[in-house]
Amino acid sequence: MATATEEPRTRHDAGARAGTPAISLEQISKAYRSGGEDVQAVRGIDLRIEQGEFFSLLGPSGCGKTTTMRMVAGFESPTSGTVRLHGDDVTGVAPHRRDVNMVFQSYALFPHMTVFDNVAFGLRRKREASGEIRRKVAEALELVELNGRERTKPGRLSGGQQQRVALARALVNRPSALLLDEPLGALDLKLRQAMQMELKRIQRDVGITFVYVTHDQGEALTMSDRIAVMNGGRVEQLGTPAEVYERPATRFTAGFIGTSNLLSGTVAGRSGEVATVRIEGAGEVRASCDAPAGARVDLTVRPEKIAMEAEEPAGDRARLAGTVTEVVYLGSATHYTVRLGDGSEVVVFRQNASDAASAAERGETVWVSWRPEHAYALPG
């Protein structure tokens, strides 16, 4: 979390600037010199993050998401471009004078201080009145549901409780934006999932803009209003969780967000927004596509959108024959891998219903099928 000092921050009245984004990044780039070579960490990013939005920067390690967030916080200076908070250019403003706070994966709590003193630390540095400090700390602890823990030391708290203290300390000053750098990474799976819901609740309650950095697709899909999918220092796709999942714009997004099947083929013909795509050695299927006849495309279709049957399905469903090569039982669902005639493989997710007779075995010949609108063509 950015440390508060006696020097006042640059505050922003969001209500006085209706329509102005909370955070704007304009052609932001960042280059480093490492091992005698230039490393381009961020490459000309433009982003507009709205007031009160839960916005996630999602991507693999080294994609530039943390560097981007640190430039918003002021801990890194961009090589080029402009950072704006509520319309004000803060590119050269020191971190402690920006009206944002940052929460890290390590929590950064003071182990010798109580929960109350940790949360009150920044307020005391600003020399606020003791009565105001007590009121604000009480409100912050109530928000994160840690009432009654004021005199507890961090070492006696669970990981999830320590994360709540870090959140309370970051929120106690009510910054215009809260920046969270993989804050749940140190928690076990069940606690991480529970904290995702808590973070979303807290964000709704306070109405503050949250910018969240993660490599976990599930976290981003669960909590975000919008997601910027990053790769190689660039934004591959920007959209709502449904948009980036259902309509990936690039092969990278299709492969990184959840599980997706990619089938390479050629557009054989088209009718309106639906095209017939020839998968060499496997057959022809229909899919949503705006590419012209003869174009090479990659079809992407999610495993849960695919049906698997022993007999060839009727109707206008896209369908291909194949052989089951892998069966993985996961409790609520079974994952099947089906090898098609061209040697490519399709993954199918099937919910485990009560009728075990519908299960397929390795070596069986099956038909995989989907509705044409559930497959989406990317440029090949």
Side-chain angles (χ1 to χ4, degrees):
M1 183 181 69
T3 302
T5 71
E6 292 80 356
E7 187 177 0
R9 294 180 174 195
T10 302
R11 303 293 297 189
H12 305 281
D13 183 357
R17 299 190 180 189
T20 302
I23 299 169
S24 296
L25 304 182
E26 301 170 1
Q27 281 296 296
I28 287 291
S29 294
K30 180 65 178 180
Y32 295 98
R33 189 73 177 170
S34 177
E37 297 182 356
D38 290 327
V39 177
Q40 195 74 27
V42 178
R43 304 167 184 266
I45 286 179
D46 286 303
L47 283 178
R48 176 187 172 110
I49 302 172
E50 304 299 337
Q51 174 64 32
E53 188 173 27
F54 198 123
F55 189 95
S56 289
L57 298 171
L58 171 66
S61 297
C63 71
K65 57 188 185 295
T66 294
T67 301
T68 300
M69 175 176 281
R70 289 177 63 84
M71 287 190 284
V72 174
F75 299 139
E76 299 277 359
S77 298
T79 306
S80 61
T82 304
V83 178
R84 296 185 186 276
L85 297 180
H86 290 282
D88 295 331
D89 185 348
V90 297
T91 311
V93 175
H96 66 272
R97 298 208 62 229
R98 300 188 187 196
D99 190 23
V100 299
N101 273 352
M102 193 162 178
V103 177
F104 303 94
Q105 182 176 333
S106 62
Y107 313 147
L109 300 177
F110 299 110
H112 62 287
M113 292 185 181
T114 64
V115 167
F116 183 96
D117 291 335
N118 266 281
V119 177
F121 180 78
L123 300 174
R124 286 173 172 157
R125 290 289 298 272
K126 291 165 57 178
R127 299 182 181 179
E128 291 208 13
S130 58
E132 272 297 286
I133 291 174
R134 286 194 298 272
R135 182 185 66 80
K136 289 183 177 181
V137 171
E139 288 178 353
L141 292 179
E142 181 178 5
L143 181 68
V144 299
E145 299 181 346
L146 281 178
N147 314 68
R149 293 285 188 157
E150 291 85 353
R151 300 306 167 192
T152 306
K153 297 287 184 67
R156 299 183 66 85
L157 299 176
S158 68
Q161 289 171 328
Q162 290 183 43
Q163 183 59 272
R164 290 167 188 260
V165 176
L167 281 169
R169 186 175 63 178
L171 290 167
V172 74
N173 282 317
R174 294 299 173 103
S176 65
L178 186 63
L179 314 178
L180 302 104
D181 189 7
E182 307 218 35
L184 308 183
L187 305 180
D188 63 59
L189 177 60
K190 293 194 74 171
L191 183 54
R192 190 161 68 244
Q193 291 173 337
M195 281 299 297
Q196 289 170 15
M197 296 296 97
E198 282 299 293
L199 275 175
K200 187 60 179 174
R201 175 190 64 79
I202 290 168
Q203 193 266 340
R204 283 197 304 264
D205 287 348
V206 297
I208 290 174
T209 304
F210 275 29
V211 183
Y212 194 91
V213 160
T214 182
H215 65 274
D216 187 310
Q217 306 96 316
E219 279 188 0
L221 292 172
T222 298
M223 296 186 291
S224 309
D225 296 314
R226 286 191 303 150
I227 300 170
V229 182
M230 294 188 64
N231 181 37
R234 295 186 175 91
V235 174
E236 290 266 335
Q237 186 170 352
L238 175 64
T240 66
E243 287 168 347
V244 298
Y245 185 84
E246 299 289 351
R247 284 289 184 264
T250 66
R251 284 181 62 97
F252 175 83
T253 301
F256 189 76
I257 304 291
T259 302
S260 189
N261 295 295
L262 286 170
L263 300 173
S264 297
T266 304
V267 177
R270 58 179 304 104
S271 175
E273 296 181 357
V274 177
T276 300
V277 179
R278 182 178 299 112
I279 311 296
E280 297 296 339
E284 292 185 346
V285 293
R286 298 170 69 238
S288 297
C289 178
D290 56 8
R296 293 287 297 174
V297 295
D298 292 321
L299 294 186
T300 175
V301 56
R302 297 292 183 182
E304 69 274 11
K305 306 288 190 183
I306 301 176
M308 188 177 69
E309 304 167 73
E311 303 295 332
E312 181 176 2
D316 65 349
R317 294 178 66 85
R319 51 192 178 270
L320 297 168
T323 303
V324 177
T325 59
E326 293 291 342
V327 180
V328 181
Y329 177 79
L330 294 175
S332 62
T334 299
H335 293 189
Y336 296 90
T337 302
V338 179
R339 179 171 294 134
L340 305 178
D342 67 342
S344 62
E345 293 183 331
V346 171
V347 176
V348 181
F349 294 170
R350 176 185 278 183
Q351 293 295 310
N352 289 328
S354 57
D355 54 333
S358 65
E361 303 292 336
R362 290 181 60 187
E364 285 190 30
T365 298
V366 296
W367 287 86
V368 294
S369 66
W370 58 86
R371 293 167 58 182
E373 62 268 26
H374 287 161
Y376 183 64
L378 305 172

